[in-house]
Amino acid sequence: VGWGRGPEGAIPPPPKGGEHPPTSRPAGPKAFHIPVNQRTALADLGFAASLNPQEYATLGVEQMLWDRLAPGSQKTYSSSFKHWKLFRSCADPPLPVFLFGKDPVEDEMELLRFVYWMGFVVGYQYSTVHVALYAMRYMHLVYGYGDVLKDKHRLTLAKLALKRHSNKPRRKVAATTAMLADVMAHSNLSVWKDLLCMTAISFGFFFLLRASEYLGSHQGAYLDYVVRVGSLTFLDSQGRLLNPAHDDLNNSHELIVNIPGSKTDLYNHGQRLNIHLSSEALNPLRLILAMWRSTPAHFREPNRFLFQYGSGPLHRDVVSSILKKAAIRLGADPKNVAPHSLRAGGATAMYHAGYSTAEIQLRGRWVSDCWMIYIWQGRGISKRLVERLCAVDYAPLM
């Protein structure tokens, strides 16, 4: 049995010869993974007679620890860990993948060499090196070697040095309602693809969605997290439920979207966000109703991706291209615009509209204050700044 949601071979076997992890994996099949709704007593399993509980549990430990990561993080860590494996294998003779912790000073020196090799020799940016270090750290934790980055103060200095010498990352500009209006003005909403794209853009902005929650990608979306038709709930003006299969959705006054899950959904409950009907043409509910009137059959299949185009979700490159063209028409640099601009734009608009920090954080499903880096200052915020500050009359408390 494979790794479940984790990529095959994501965590390497313990190094051969010499040291082994404190809890080495026993010989036999790879980690068994049984979905929660199919778990049963060990005695009921057909192979239980040849596998005692300790062996069975040990086989599942790696799977359990790997499943702590969101699917996207699993893929990222699996790919980033290859840098460390390559670095260790290029030594003469090749070195074991894991640091055993017997000599903390030498371990830190090896980490410093790794940072120098990746950042200053190969030329990777700070962000790539940072992720590679944390991927390596997680693999060590899984195999029982502890946190190899803890209390490595020289390593912290080395990372800061690399960050200083790295190119500054290009920050994605927050999309604006003017940009969305421009997209709509250059769209033919009687054409299904144009309507689909415009609605997806509206959803990304007003629901502060991550691109992976409603769009496809080259790497392949984790489809369980992508919004589907069945994720929508329509309510009339009295709060009564409307069924897309047989009710007239033109009576809808409120739309509830169930976000199935995300990397920050610690309890795997998903989150429900809503929006009410209004007169604005950009309103997501108004656009969804236009989709329903155009193609009612689309809404009769709950498992269909909400923004399905072809065999999968609408690709993020399609949305990116539309936004970049709008940026050019508005005189902005298209290099600074991407689907992520919609999430930043929605958060920025909420901030300048006077919504509280808690409301912004909740709608964007951020679990920390990192949402603040999504907020762009507007030029209008400094209007009358000088007059207001000069009007302040206070005596310093001495």
Side-chain angles (χ1 to χ4, degrees):
V1 180
W3 271 93
R5 295 200 306 270
E8 182 68 20
I11 300 180
K16 295 180 179 179
E19 301 290 339
H20 289 271
T23 54
S24 307
R25 172 169 66 189
K30 291 185 179 180
F32 292 103
H33 185 68
I34 301 177
V36 174
N37 60 354
Q38 297 179 19
R39 290 176 186 166
T40 182
L42 182 61
D44 296 333
L45 299 173
F47 52 83
S50 60
L51 197 66
N52 66 47
Q54 286 72 27
E55 289 175 331
Y56 179 81
T58 302
L59 288 171
V61 164
E62 293 166 12
Q63 176 70 56
M64 176 178 65
L65 297 175
W66 188 243
D67 279 352
R68 164 62 182 84
L69 300 174
S73 298
Q74 291 179 13
K75 183 178 295 186
T76 299
Y77 276 19
S78 175
S79 176
S80 297
F81 188 57
K82 295 175 183 176
H83 295 296
W84 174 255
K85 291 170 63 179
L86 176 62
F87 176 72
R88 297 285 282 180
S89 66
C90 286
D92 187 17
L95 297 170
V97 174
F98 294 97
L99 300 175
F100 305 131
K102 288 187 174 182
D103 187 344
V105 175
E106 174 55 29
D107 285 352
E108 183 175 31
M109 191 63 211
E110 182 69 352
L111 293 172
L112 291 169
R113 288 190 284 260
F114 177 62
V115 169
Y116 182 82
W117 176 71
M118 276 199 72
F120 292 94
V121 178
V122 182
Y124 282 108
Q125 293 295 308
Y126 166 83
S127 57
T128 303
V129 178
H130 177 80
V131 173
L133 284 170
Y134 274 84
M136 181 268 295
R137 168 185 176 269
Y138 197 81
M139 298 305 184
H140 278 72
L141 288 171
V142 167
Y143 274 102
Y145 287 107
D147 187 348
V148 294
L149 303 186
K150 185 179 180 181
D151 297 328
K152 300 295 191 294
H153 304 299
R154 289 195 299 164
L155 179 63
T156 300
L157 295 176
K159 289 173 61 180
L160 291 173
L162 176 60
K163 189 174 185 178
R164 183 177 181 182
H165 285 83
S166 294
N167 295 328
K168 294 181 179 179
R170 187 182 294 272
R171 187 183 179 194
K172 299 305 178 187
V173 174
T176 63
T177 52
M179 183 178 293
L180 270 64
D182 181 84
V183 172
M184 178 171 281
H186 289 83
S187 300
N188 182 357
L189 299 187
S190 63
V191 176
W192 176 252
K193 183 180 179 181
D194 283 15
L195 179 58
L196 192 72
C197 292
M198 186 65 241
T199 309
I201 288 171
S202 175
F203 261 65
F205 184 91
F206 289 101
F207 288 107
L208 279 61
L209 297 180
R210 301 177 179 90
S212 60
E213 294 169 344
Y214 68 112
L215 301 174
S217 67
H218 291 300
Q219 289 77 25
Y222 181 59
L223 301 183
D224 286 356
Y225 286 173
V226 179
V227 173
R228 299 174 186 260
V229 170
S231 303
L232 305 185
T233 300
F234 297 89
L235 301 175
D236 65 13
S237 58
Q238 304 300 316
R240 291 186 294 257
L241 184 67
L242 298 175
N243 190 328
H246 53 72
D247 289 332
D248 184 1
L249 294 187
N250 286 313
N251 295 321
S252 300
H253 279 255
E254 182 181 358
L255 174 66
I256 300 175
V257 180
N258 180 50
I259 310 298
S262 71
K263 62 182 181 181
T264 58
D265 185 8
L266 300 180
Y267 299 104
N268 295 319
H269 289 165
Q271 185 167 347
R272 293 165 70 83
L273 304 173
N274 71 327
I275 205 157
H276 292 268
L277 189 64
S278 66
S279 60
E280 286 77 18
L282 295 174
N283 188 298
L285 176 52
R286 188 172 291 278
L287 290 167
I288 279 288
L289 294 179
M291 286 178 57
W292 173 75
R293 286 189 289 267
S294 172
T295 311
H298 179 82
F299 293 86
R300 298 192 187 111
E301 300 181 34
N303 289 327
R304 182 192 293 267
F305 298 115
L306 179 58
F307 302 113
Q308 182 151 337
Y309 190 72
S311 60
L314 182 69
H315 202 282
R316 67 176 66 196
D317 284 355
V318 176
V319 172
S320 181
S321 176
I322 293 172
L323 294 175
K324 289 179 184 297
K325 290 176 181 178
I328 293 173
R329 290 192 294 265
L330 295 174
D333 187 349
K335 294 180 181 178
N336 297 335
V337 177
H340 207 60
S341 298
L342 297 170
R343 179 168 165 84
T348 299
M350 288 186 69
Y351 174 80
H352 290 288
Y355 284 89
S356 70
T357 58
E359 289 171 315
I360 299 172
Q361 188 171 349
L362 183 61
R363 192 166 185 85
R365 291 150 288 121
W366 285 288
V367 296
S368 70
D369 290 339
C370 70
W371 66 271
M372 289 189 287
I373 67 174
Y374 287 74
I375 305 301
W376 284 72
Q377 290 285 0
R379 293 199 301 270
I381 198 171
S382 61
K383 284 184 178 179
R384 299 191 68 251
L385 174 68
V386 175
E387 295 92 327
R388 292 175 64 184
L389 296 186
C390 289
V392 174
D393 183 15
Y394 73 97
L397 181 63
M398 304 298 289

